[in-house]
Amino acid sequence: MSEIRGVPWRETARVMALCWAVCGVAYSILNVLDEPTLPIAAPVVMLLVRWFWDRHRHWAAGAAATFAGSAVVFVLTDLARPHWDRIAVDALGTAAGATVALVFFAGASRLMPPTTRSDHASHNS
């Protein structure tokens, strides 16, 4: 059987682009509605969790990615909120955090021992 050697960078880039698109759409909708209290991060987090659960259950890599992405979101929003409006800061912080999380996840998934396809398939059942 062939081995899975981590999350492919091409797939990671597609998910990253999708996260940025979701942030852009959420920003546009919330800006038009003038509703700064709704979270922009929620749909992005749901997208990432679904992708993780359905495609790549690398638990240690997921934990590292969650920590790194969350740290970026918190630091960026804390630094930028006094200068920009909340919706823009949340959208950019969330997109940047998702980018960092995905890079960490793809990189860390390559450091873990490879699993066989049968092990990966059993996780999806």
Side-chain angles (χ1 to χ4, degrees), residues 14-41:
R14 281 192 304 260
V15 174
M16 194 180 304
L18 186 58
C19 288
W20 277 86
V22 168
C23 286
V25 168
Y27 168 78
S28 299
I29 291 170
L30 294 178
N31 201 27
V32 167
L33 296 175
D34 195 28
E35 184 58 56
T37 60
L38 293 176
I40 289 181

Side-chain angles (χ1 to χ4, degrees), residues 81-124:
R81 275 230 174 109
H83 308 290
W84 293 356
D85 68 334
R86 180 181 173 163
I87 300 170
V89 170
D90 287 354
L92 288 173
T94 299
T99 300
V100 169
L102 284 163
V103 169
F104 263 74
F105 183 66
S109 72
R110 296 172 185 291
L111 299 175
M112 298 174 54
T115 59
T116 62
R117 289 201 187 272
S118 61
D119 291 342
H120 184 69
S122 68
H123 287 285
N124 288 332

Side-chain angles (χ1 to χ4, degrees), residues 33-92:
L33 296 175
D34 195 28
E35 184 58 56
T37 60
L38 293 176
I40 289 181
V44 174
V45 170
M46 288 188 288
L47 171 89
L48 291 174
V49 167
R50 181 65 186 227
W51 177 67
F52 172 85
W53 193 258
D54 288 347
R55 306 270 304 151
H56 305 288
R57 293 188 194 177
H58 295 273
W59 294 100
T66 300
F67 178 76
S70 298
V72 167
V73 170
F74 290 128
V75 168
L76 284 179
T77 54
D78 191 45
L79 293 175
R81 275 230 174 109
H83 308 290
W84 293 356
D85 68 334
R86 180 181 173 163
I87 300 170
V89 170
D90 287 354
L92 288 173

